[in-house]
């Protein structure tokens, strides 16, 4: 960096003395530095003549222009990332599990009071979010804590549990007790088709030796709600903040607690939404600030 600064400064001067003064070094030290740089470059970068100042060669002019560009880029990088005077800077690329995204992304992006942090978001399933984290295409992803691989670190955002969504006139919607899988097994299930949600629901039924009556497998939770709102079946989904009790078409929905007894230790009807990052990777301050803001925003959204 010192050599780049020297070469970047030279074109603006006609004498070594003038350049040395600007660089705040002695003229002899500057001359020695130029000699070292020329040795590394393998050619003459400036012609030095006693009493006649110096002249940059074509190679020297090119070297100086590239040095200025590198220094400018380094300056921009330096201004982008560090936390200075309590301010955070730089990009944060975060991902969100698809069915969770309408409830988490708007609340998380609103009120994030770090104007110099540039947020960008991707929506997907674990199939796309996990590789993006491993390839450093994402800094953090917000997902359900279900079947996550061991190479991810987790920070809890909020706890949640599975619930049943029904048409309000469905007979099961009028029951005051929590529903059980045996109540649902013969009812038409509109399955949310997404990894790991689909496998998780099937495991819940299989743990009680039950096979759900699946009438449709759809890739969007809003489609599950729309079909339930028309009385075509029931759905299973994790309890979420900012959750309107109606479908996209404005039809009312009924949400009921699901009770799943006697599950194996590897399976539970409760879960958490977590922020995941690659294991062992230091979480930058600006990314941690987004995680903490998300946790606060979700706590205020129930």
């Amino acid at each position: 960096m010192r050599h780049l600064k020297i070469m970047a400064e030279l074109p603006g001067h006609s004498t070594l003395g003038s350049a040395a003064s600007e660089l705040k070094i002695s003229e002899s030290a500057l001359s020695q530095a130029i000699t070292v740089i020329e040795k590394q470059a393998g050619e003459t970068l400036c012609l030095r003549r006693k009493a006649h100042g110096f002249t940059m060669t074509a190679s020297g002019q090119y070297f100086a222009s590239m040095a200025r560009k590198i220094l400018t880029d380094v300056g921009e990088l330096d201004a982008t990332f560090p936390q200075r005077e309590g301010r955070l800077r730089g990009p944060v690329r975060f991902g969100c599990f698809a069915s969770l995204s309408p409830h988490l992304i708007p609340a998380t992006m609103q009120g994030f009071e770090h104007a110099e942090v540039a947020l960008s978001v991707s929506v997907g399933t674990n199939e796309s979010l996990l590789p993006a984290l491993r390839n450093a295409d994402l800094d953090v992803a917000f997902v359900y804590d279900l079947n996550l691989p061991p190479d991810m670190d987790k920070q809890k955002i909020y706890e949640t549990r599975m619930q049943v969504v029904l048409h309000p006139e469905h007979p099961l919607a009028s029951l005051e007790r929590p529903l059980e899988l045996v109540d649902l097994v013969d009812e038409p299930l509109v399955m949310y088709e997404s990894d790991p949600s689909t496998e998780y629901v099937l495991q819940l039924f299989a743990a009680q030796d039950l096979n759900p009556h699946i009438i449709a497998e759809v890739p969007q939770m809003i489609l599950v709600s729309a079909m339930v709102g028309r009385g075509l079946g029931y759905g299973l989904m994790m309890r979420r903040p900012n959750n309107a009790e109606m479908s996209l078409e404005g039809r009312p929905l009924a949400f009921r607690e699901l009770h799943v007894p006697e599950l194996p230790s590897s399976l539970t009807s409760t879960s958490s939404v977590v922020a995941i990052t690659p294991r062992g990777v230091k979480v930058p301050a600006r990314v941690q600030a987004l995680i903490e803001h998300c946790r606060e925003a979700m706590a205020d959204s129930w």
Side-chain angles (χ1 to χ4, degrees), residues 95-106 123-124 141-144 157-158 160 192 221 238-242 272-274 294 298:
C96 188
F97 191 74
S99 65
L100 180 62
S101 59
H103 310 274
L104 183 143
I105 292 174
V123 174
F142 297 97
V143 300
Y144 290 109
I157 302 299
Y158 65 83
T160 185
Y192 173 54
M221 190 58 75
M238 288 296 186
R239 183 170 175 263
R240 298 166 295 182
N242 303 306
S272 299
V273 169
V274 292
C294 177
M298 293 299 96

Side-chain angles (χ1 to χ4, degrees), residues 42-256:
E43 57 185 284
T44 301
L45 300 177
C46 66
L47 302 175
R48 289 166 279 174
R49 299 185 181 88
K50 291 184 178 180
H52 292 286
F54 71 92
T55 303
M56 303 292 293
T57 65
S59 295
Q61 291 284 1
Y62 178 74
F63 193 115
S65 68
M66 292 300 295
R68 286 193 296 272
K69 182 180 183 301
I70 292 169
L71 291 171
T72 298
D73 290 343
V74 169
E76 291 178 358
L77 186 65
D78 184 57
T80 296
F81 284 98
Q83 178 181 355
R84 293 176 178 171
E85 300 175 354
R87 293 187 301 173
L88 300 176
R89 300 180 176 90
V92 175
R93 302 159 301 175
F94 73 99
C96 188
F97 191 74
S99 65
L100 180 62
S101 59
H103 310 274
L104 183 143
I105 292 174
T108 298
M109 295 188 72
Q110 183 180 35
F112 184 64
E113 297 177 350
H114 297 282
E116 295 180 76
V117 175
L119 299 178
S120 60
V121 61
S122 298
V123 174
T125 64
N126 289 16
E127 187 176 17
S128 60
L129 296 175
L130 293 174
L133 285 168
R134 295 186 181 110
N135 295 333
D137 294 323
L138 291 176
D139 298 301
V140 62
F142 297 97
V143 300
Y144 290 109
D145 189 5
L146 298 173
N147 302 322
L148 291 175
D151 63 339
M152 292 290 154
D153 287 329
K154 301 181 290 188
Q155 296 186 52
K156 184 186 294 185
I157 302 299
Y158 65 83
E159 292 185 352
T160 185
R161 62 182 303 112
M162 186 69 77
Q163 62 180 358
V164 185
V165 56
L166 299 155
H167 189 280
E169 297 179 5
H170 193 289
L172 293 176
S174 63
L175 296 182
E176 295 183 0
R177 65 170 174 81
L179 301 182
E180 300 192 17
L181 292 177
V182 68
D183 298 322
L184 302 167
V185 67
D186 294 326
E187 299 292 331
L189 170 60
V190 182
M191 175 78 83
Y192 173 54
E193 175 66 24
S194 178
D195 176 45
S197 298
T198 305
E199 183 62 27
Y200 174 70
V201 169
L202 293 176
Q203 287 176 351
L204 289 180
F205 279 97
Q208 295 193 335
D209 295 322
L210 299 173
N211 291 310
H213 174 42
I214 301 172
I215 62 163
E217 298 180 43
V218 299
Q220 296 178 326
M221 190 58 75
I222 57 172
L223 184 51
V224 174
S225 297
M227 293 178 70
V228 172
R230 287 182 174 267
L232 299 174
Y234 74 95
L236 292 171
M237 63 179 66
M238 288 296 186
R239 183 170 175 263
R240 298 166 295 182
N242 303 306
N243 200 30
E245 295 189 355
M246 62 178 59
S247 72
L248 186 65
E249 299 175 303
R251 298 174 184 270
L253 303 171
F255 292 87
R256 296 293 181 267

